């Protein structure tokens, strides 16, 4: 028998080994093994079992350290593995299949893909926590002294515990407890101590709620799929489309309870930003110790322990951000992707996977049900639900019929014409803020500011300069005063007048959260203002701290970026102001309109969550834009989505095509531009079936002293494009000092 192994030393090169006869029957993918590598013996993981069981080579090894690629057709004597480290596989065979698929699909090195299921913290031996002595009281009659009897009563009262804890709690020496053990009154044994991220939190258990009629229908639909999958039938993913506050989470909880009864596990993905203590609390309150949390804020030790609790089966409900999708849950019955539309599910480094899409692939491989939940479906999932590829169920009302907030659209062109110096706060918004301060209620001001991607908008008429060929906002490149289209690579010089109304002044005036904070303090000196954006939340806990300050009403107004847009529930917030909806509306991004509507719907969901009714003010220069009209309740989501999909189809955009973005970066602008241009030319020659753009400067034209150029490819087949690329990459390197990255199903073009 031959096995292919990734070693701890070089994960990216696979080596083949022979398996001694006595280990052949135990061999399976995912096992951890000890193997010889050069003069050393190292840890490795079985990636693939190549030959049938039982046909071990019996000759002595002559060669090791052989590359997998070289093994085809060349006869070397393989070295034998030394031993198997543990009996249960470290990762499951399905997960190995998944990361192999992922490396292929996303054109990523296998090693980087493998790291998703074997993160460093999990493999590290130094992370293993020590065992400690655990004392468990026993039933029966024992001959004890008075002092010993008293101590035993105490130990019984607390139900046993760690030796260290008991000696401290009851002020006794360890020897006293050992004496109890000698008389059989307690047992003492070493046990592994799990570092528990939920320790020190008081969590009151909750029972399943009586469901609202729509929730009932949704759960029944999901239950049917769960039963089908339990019988081994394939099930398509289901889109759970429920407005904010409609009780999606309760539906997830009860669906999870159902798979647990069947002896299967569950994975719940939430956007990193929505993984608040409140969210975790809701799951822990229902499932207690069966919950494992995988969180970027965990210490390495906590991460190690949580992962191994999952692997051992001690925890079978996993909640976490996108990386939790790779948790070694043995037999998942349900994968929930909450807020499925969230762009943060796309990883922005290799492997550049989209957790929602990979979740559906894992679901298919594991034969489990995938629920995609959202108030604002992505066009991808909406299209799949419309075409019947996905199942669909909707929650249209908020729980207990709490009303949706009133939404007002403020036309900033009119505000400007009325002579307000109002680029930041319109008169109605000012008045609304003033009222909140007077009434002691709270307000959230939202500004989505992604610095570099500037569109060019006329302050007189609101017109935005667009590429006619692609129907997409031009990006203004300040460095060379050019307007560039990031789909086709087309460009033109900065015009001196507005193309629509002829007004001469045409400049982009931007402002960020910091300036808003200063201006707000000037207008309302008495207000307590809190700002939350990437600049102030870099510390591990500052995000939670700021939210706690706001929740406990130690601040009146919270200013923030999309960080504050979702998942948070503040009962005293009755006003949400969107300072400039146009920023995201005119991003040079095919999803600009979709994103804007999603953001507006999510921030609006922040207002009026409890007993106080809410108001939302949306400031915009484009009040007639469909995304704004839907948010204002002037158009239905279905109407907008139908039109948006028609436009995407006509333009050849996702979800009707796949887009691959190649980014070249280098210290020399000339070399980088040249490398990109050569690649674009070569790709165009291969086939006309794939649309390839000209090479052009990226929206983020320079970062960390490296110039950045991009090529965009579009085709109905992602695999076709990746294969094309692989062939080209094999024979043509991007050139010296130039790096190239491949982003399949690109979400953020930067
Ligand atoms: P969503 O996830 O759709 O935004 P949540 O699950 O957060 O909505 O539910 C909103 C609120 O309604 C929560 O406070 C939740 O406890 C409550 N809730 C959910 N379902 C029910 C129900 N069937 N009966 C009463 N309250 C419910
Ligand atoms: Zn264009």
């Amino acid at each position: 028998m031959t096995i292919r192994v990734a070693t701890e030393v070089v994960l990216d090169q696979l080596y083949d080994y022979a398996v001694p006869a006595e280990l052949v029957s135990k061999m399976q993918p995912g096992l951890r093994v000890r193997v010889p590598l050069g003069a050393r013996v190292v840890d490795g993981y079985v990636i693939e079992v190549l030959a049938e069981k039982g046909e071990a080579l019996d000759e002595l090894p002559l060669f090791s350290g052989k590359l997998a690629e070289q093994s085809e057709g060349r006869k070397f004597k393989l070295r034998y593995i030394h031993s198997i480290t543990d009996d249960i596989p470290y990762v499951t065979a399905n997960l190995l299949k998944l990361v192999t698929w992922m490396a292929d699909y996303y054109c990523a090195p296998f090693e980087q893909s493998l790291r998703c299921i074997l993160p460093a913290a999990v493999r590290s031996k130094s992370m293993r926590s020590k065992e400690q002595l655990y004392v468990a009281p026993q039933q029966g009659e024992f001959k004890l002294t008075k002092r010993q009897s008293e101590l035993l009563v105490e130990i019984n009262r607390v139900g046993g515990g760690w030796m260290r804890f008991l000696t401290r709690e009851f002020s006794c020496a360890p020897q006293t407890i050992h004496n109890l053990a000698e008389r059989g009154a307690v047992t003492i044994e070493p046990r592994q101590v799990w570092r528990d991220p939920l320790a020190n939190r008081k969590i009151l258990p909750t029972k399943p709620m009586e469901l609202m009629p729509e929730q009932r229908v949704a759960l029944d639909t999901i239950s049917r799929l769960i039963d089908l999958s339990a019988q081994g039938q394939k099930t398509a993913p289901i889109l759970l489309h429920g407005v904010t506050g409609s009780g999606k989470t309760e539906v997830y909880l009860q669906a999870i309870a159902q798979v647990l009864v069947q002896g299967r596990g569950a994975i719940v993905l939430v956007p990193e930003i929505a993984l608040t203590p409140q969210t975790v609390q809701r799951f822990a309150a229902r499932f207690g110790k069966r919950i494992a949390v995988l969180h970027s804020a965990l210490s390495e030790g906590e991460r190690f322990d949580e992962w191994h609790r999952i692997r051992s089966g001690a925890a079978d409900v996993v909640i976490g951000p996108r990386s939790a999708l790779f948790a070694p849950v043995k037999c998942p019955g349900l994968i929930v992707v909450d807020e499925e539309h969230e762009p943060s599910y796309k990883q922005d480094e290799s492997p550049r996977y989209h957790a929602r899409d990979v979740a559906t692939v894992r679901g298919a491989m594991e034969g489990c049900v995938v629920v995609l939940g959202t108030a604002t479906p992505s066009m991808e999932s909406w299209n799949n639900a419309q075409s019947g590829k996905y199942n669909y169920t909707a929650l249209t009302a908020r729980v207990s019929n709490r009303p949706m907030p009133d939404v007002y659209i403020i036309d900033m062109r009119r505000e400007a014409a009325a002579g307000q110096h109002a680029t930041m706060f319109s008169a109605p918004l000012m008045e609304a803020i003033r009222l909140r301060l007077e009434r002691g209620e709270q307000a959230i001001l939202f500004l989505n500011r992604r610095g570099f991607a500037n569109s060019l908008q006329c302050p007189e008429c609101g017109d935005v300069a667009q590429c006619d060929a692609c129907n997409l906002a031009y990006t203004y490149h300040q460095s060379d005063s050019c307007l560039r289209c990031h789909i086709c690579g087309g460009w033109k010089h900065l015009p001196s007048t507005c193309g629509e109304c002829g007004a001469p002044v045409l400049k982009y005036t931007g402002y960020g959260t910091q300036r808003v904070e200063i201006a707000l303090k000037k207008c309302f000196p008495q207000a307590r203002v809190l700002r939350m954006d990437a600049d102030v939340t870099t510390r591990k806990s500052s995000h939670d701290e700021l939210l706690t300050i706001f929740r406990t009403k130690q601040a009146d107004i919270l200013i923030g970026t999309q960080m504050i847009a979702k998942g948070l529930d503040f009962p005293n917030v009755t006003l949400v102001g969107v300072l400039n909806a146009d920023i995201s509306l005119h991003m040079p991004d095919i999803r600009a309109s979709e994103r804007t509507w999603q953001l507006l719907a999510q921030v609006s969901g922040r207002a009026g969550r409890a007993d106080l009714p809410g108001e939302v003010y949306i400031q915009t220069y484009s009040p007639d834009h469909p995304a704004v009209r839907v948010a204002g309740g002037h158009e239905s989501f279905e109407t907008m989505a139908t039109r948006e999909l028609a436009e995407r189809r006509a333009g050849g955009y996702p979800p009707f095509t796949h887009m691959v973005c190649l980014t070249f970066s280098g210290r020399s602008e000339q070399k980088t531009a040249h490398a990109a241009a050569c690649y674009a030319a070569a790709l165009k020659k291969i086939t006309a079936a794939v649309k390839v753009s000209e090479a052009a400067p990226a929206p983020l034209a320079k970062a960390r002293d490296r110039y950045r150029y991009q090529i965009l490819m579009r085709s109905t087949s992602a695999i076709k494009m990746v294969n094309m690329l692989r062939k080209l990459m094999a024979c043509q390197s991007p050139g010296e000092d130039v790096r190239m990255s491949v982003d399949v199903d690109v979400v953020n073009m930067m």
Side-chain angles (χ1 to χ4, degrees):
M1 175 190 275
T2 306
I3 55 171
R4 198 153 276 183
V5 173
T7 67
E8 192 66 77
V9 187
V10 266
L11 275 185
D12 60 335
Q13 291 186 354
L14 301 183
Y15 299 96
D16 287 354
Y17 289 93
V19 182
E22 69 272 17
L23 294 180
V24 161
S25 63
K26 288 192 181 160
M27 199 42 70
Q28 55 175 315
L31 276 184
R32 200 148 56 120
V33 288
R34 299 278 294 166
V35 295
L37 189 72
R40 289 190 287 169
V41 176
V42 298
D43 278 328
Y45 305 90
V46 180
I47 303 299
E48 216 180 322
V49 178
L50 291 175
E52 287 301 305
K53 290 185 178 180
E55 91 189 36
L57 304 173
D58 50 10
E59 276 160 292
L60 281 175
L62 297 174
F63 177 88
S64 85
K66 186 165 56 71
L67 262 175
E69 286 95 78
Q70 298 173 341
S71 71
E72 324 294 346
R74 285 167 73 175
K75 291 265 180 278
F76 288 108
K77 298 266 168 57
L78 297 177
R79 291 176 84 174
Y80 282 92
I81 66 165
H82 274 215
S83 57
I84 295 176
T85 312
D86 21 27
D87 286 340
I88 37 172
Y90 222 62
V91 288
T92 64
N94 275 337
L95 276 175
L96 282 168
K97 227 163 65 183
L98 186 68
V99 293
T100 308
W101 175 87
M102 201 160 78
D104 282 347
Y105 184 88
Y106 290 103
C107 200
F110 177 73
E111 178 208 27
Q112 282 168 358
S113 203
L114 186 62
R115 279 181 200 281
C116 292
I117 54 170
L118 288 168
V122 160
R123 285 179 284 124
S124 162
K125 281 202 192 102
S126 61
M127 281 303 148
R128 223 159 282 165
S129 61
K130 284 199 205 79
E131 294 193 327
Q132 290 194 8
L133 293 181
Y134 190 89
V135 180
Q138 303 298 308
Q139 299 298 322
E141 296 288 321
F142 312 103
K143 259 180 76 185
L144 302 173
T145 66
K146 180 155 172 284
R147 170 82 184 103
Q148 286 171 336
S149 303
E150 282 167 6
L151 183 58
L152 186 61
V153 169
E154 293 293 340
I155 293 176
N156 264 307
R157 189 172 55 78
V158 296
W162 300 107
M163 175 72 92
R164 270 173 43 184
F165 165 80
L166 296 176
T167 50
R168 192 166 20 138
E169 196 69 11
F170 305 127
S171 323
C172 64
Q175 189 53 49
T176 320
I177 297 181
H178 280 287
N179 290 344
L180 280 180
E182 267 169 32
R183 290 177 169 74
V186 299
T187 57
I188 300 174
E189 56 174 23
R191 275 197 201 172
Q192 180 137 39
V193 192
W194 298 115
R195 286 152 290 198
D196 177 5
L198 294 180
N200 313 324
R201 277 221 225 132
K202 274 202 211 87
I203 295 174
L204 297 175
T206 59
K207 290 224 167 62
M209 289 183 189
E210 189 74 41
L211 293 181
M212 302 284 158
E214 284 187 323
Q215 284 177 310
R216 182 83 258 156
V217 173
L219 182 64
D220 286 347
T221 315
I222 296 169
S223 298
R224 259 197 306 279
L225 296 174
I226 290 175
D227 285 338
L228 285 177
S229 76
Q231 294 158 19
Q233 295 201 37
K234 279 199 185 340
T235 57
I238 178 164
L239 177 61
L240 171 56
H241 182 189
V243 297
T244 49
S246 58
K248 293 185 288 295
T249 310
E250 185 61 30
V251 174
Y252 304 153
L253 288 169
Q254 299 197 18
I256 292 169
Q258 190 183 339
V259 297
L260 292 184
V261 167
Q262 297 173 347
R264 299 194 285 169
I267 298 174
V268 181
L269 301 186
V270 295
E272 176 86 50
I273 233 151
L275 191 55
T276 58
Q278 290 154 281
T279 313
V280 175
Q281 189 117 358
R282 287 178 75 178
F283 285 83
R286 197 65 59 85
F287 302 114
K289 292 260 181 258
R290 302 182 79 161
I291 292 280
V293 188
L294 294 172
H295 197 289
S296 69
L298 294 186
S299 69
E300 297 269 284
E302 285 171 334
R303 193 191 308 277
F304 180 95
D305 284 357
E306 289 294 88
W307 193 91
H308 284 276
R309 279 179 61 225
I310 301 164
R311 169 174 170 261
S312 71
D316 47 11
V317 180
V318 179
I319 173 163
R322 59 169 184 260
S323 56
L325 176 62
F326 303 105
V329 176
K330 253 179 249 145
C331 179
L334 183 67
I335 301 176
V336 174
V337 184
D338 191 29
E339 316 272 14
E340 64 85 22
H341 62 278
E342 262 296 304
S344 62
Y345 280 125
K346 187 76 155 72
Q347 170 143 300
D348 59 10
E349 59 191 44
S350 185
R352 295 183 158 76
Y353 66 89
H354 197 304
R356 176 195 61 217
D357 299 343
V358 183
T360 63
V361 175
R362 182 166 185 194
M365 285 179 176
E366 306 261 16
C368 83
V369 175
V370 179
V371 177
L372 309 177
T374 177
T376 54
S378 64
M379 286 302 119
E380 282 79 3
S381 299
W382 178 251
N383 186 50
N384 281 330
Q386 290 288 299
S387 71
K389 201 174 149 198
Y390 286 3
N391 300 292
Y392 178 81
T393 182
L395 306 174
T396 58
R398 282 184 162 185
V399 169
S400 63
N401 290 322
R402 220 176 269 161
M404 297 299 276
D406 292 323
V407 180
Y408 304 99
I409 309 289
I410 314 282
D411 185 344
M412 292 303 276
R413 296 170 307 182
R414 228 182 282 158
E415 288 286 313
Q420 304 282 345
H421 57 291
T423 46
M424 264 187 233
F425 316 114
S426 61
L429 180 59
M430 288 284 272
E431 176 57 17
I433 297 175
R434 199 190 57 73
L435 262 178
R436 293 316 179 289
L437 291 172
E438 201 176 281
R439 296 201 296 236
E441 295 167 8
Q442 288 172 295
I444 289 179
L445 297 182
F446 175 76
L447 182 67
N448 188 26
R449 164 94 263 156
R450 274 208 326 207
F452 51 88
N454 294 340
S455 56
L456 195 69
Q457 184 169 37
C458 173
E460 301 274 321
C461 73
D463 184 60
V464 170
Q466 276 199 341
C467 167
D468 290 335
C470 303
N471 204 12
L472 196 81
Y474 274 124
T475 299
Y476 172 43
H477 283 246
Q478 207 162 14
S479 52
D480 54 358
S481 274
C482 270
L483 295 177
R484 293 186 189 278
C485 169
H486 288 288
I487 295 291
C488 68
W491 65 278
K492 65 182 196 182
H493 288 296
L494 187 70
S496 52
T497 56
C498 168
E500 190 64 29
C501 73
V505 207
L506 204 60
K507 65 171 198 260
Y508 184 90
T509 50
Y511 57 88
T513 43
Q514 225 157 339
R515 268 183 64 193
V516 173
E517 183 181 15
I518 295 167
L520 197 64
K521 280 180 174 159
K522 244 183 224 154
C523 297
F524 301 103
Q526 77 279 26
R528 294 165 302 169
V529 178
L530 202 63
R531 177 165 63 91
M532 190 159 135
D533 52 32
D535 297 330
V536 291
T537 57
T538 40
R539 273 191 311 120
K540 181 175 153 183
S541 59
S542 55
H543 184 258
D544 286 349
E545 278 166 21
L546 287 172
L547 293 179
T548 304
I549 292 176
F550 193 59
R551 188 186 318 284
T552 51
K553 301 189 198 170
Q554 299 172 61
D556 304 303
I557 305 172
L558 175 65
I559 304 169
T561 53
Q562 64 261 49
M563 244 179 220
I564 60 174
K566 57 200 68 108
L568 309 172
D569 206 340
F570 300 111
N572 197 43
V573 170
T574 59
L575 171 68
V576 170
V578 178
L579 295 181
N580 186 353
D582 301 32
I583 290 177
S584 56
L585 205 51
H586 302 304
M587 294 291 273
D589 182 336
I590 55 136
R591 295 183 180 87
S593 171
E594 176 184 348
R595 285 270 192 289
T596 303
W597 174 69
Q598 285 163 351
L599 272 173
L600 294 179
Q602 298 283 345
V603 287
S604 303
R606 296 307 107 222
R609 297 271 291 186
D611 303 329
L612 300 166
E615 280 185 344
V616 178
Y617 287 77
I618 297 174
Q619 302 190 147
T620 175
Y621 289 93
S622 318
D624 297 323
H625 194 287
V628 176
R629 288 175 54 79
V630 178
H634 304 302
E635 189 175 309
S636 75
F637 166 72
E638 284 78 1
T639 312
M640 181 198 65
T642 305
R643 189 177 38 217
E644 176 77 23
L645 284 176
E647 281 175 16
R648 299 263 191 103
R649 191 190 287 275
Y653 292 128
F656 302 100
T657 54
H658 293 269
M659 296 208 299
V660 175
C661 182
L662 306 183
T663 303
F664 298 78
S665 73
R667 289 191 188 279
S668 148
E669 173 155 30
Q670 197 224 336
K671 271 188 196 167
T672 312
H674 180 71
C678 290
Y679 250 71
L683 285 168
K684 278 178 195 213
K685 261 191 228 137
I686 298 177
T687 165
V690 174
K691 275 198 188 136
V692 180
S693 79
E694 298 300 332
L700 178 60
K702 193 179 177 191
R704 282 185 231 110
D705 275 334
R706 299 180 76 85
Y707 292 89
R708 306 174 79 248
Y709 276 73
Q710 283 180 342
I711 302 171
L712 199 69
M713 304 165 69
R714 280 186 283 165
S715 147
T716 49
S717 161
I719 298 292
K720 194 186 278 172
M721 289 190 280
V722 170
N723 286 343
M724 237 170 101
L725 270 171
R726 279 190 204 281
K727 267 199 204 119
L728 187 57
M729 282 154 71
C731 63
Q732 180 175 337
S733 99
E736 55 175 317
D737 308 330
V738 178
R739 284 186 219 144
M740 182 180 85
S741 72
V742 181
D743 192 345
V744 177
D745 293 337
V746 57
V747 165
N748 273 329
M749 286 180 60
M750 295 202 306

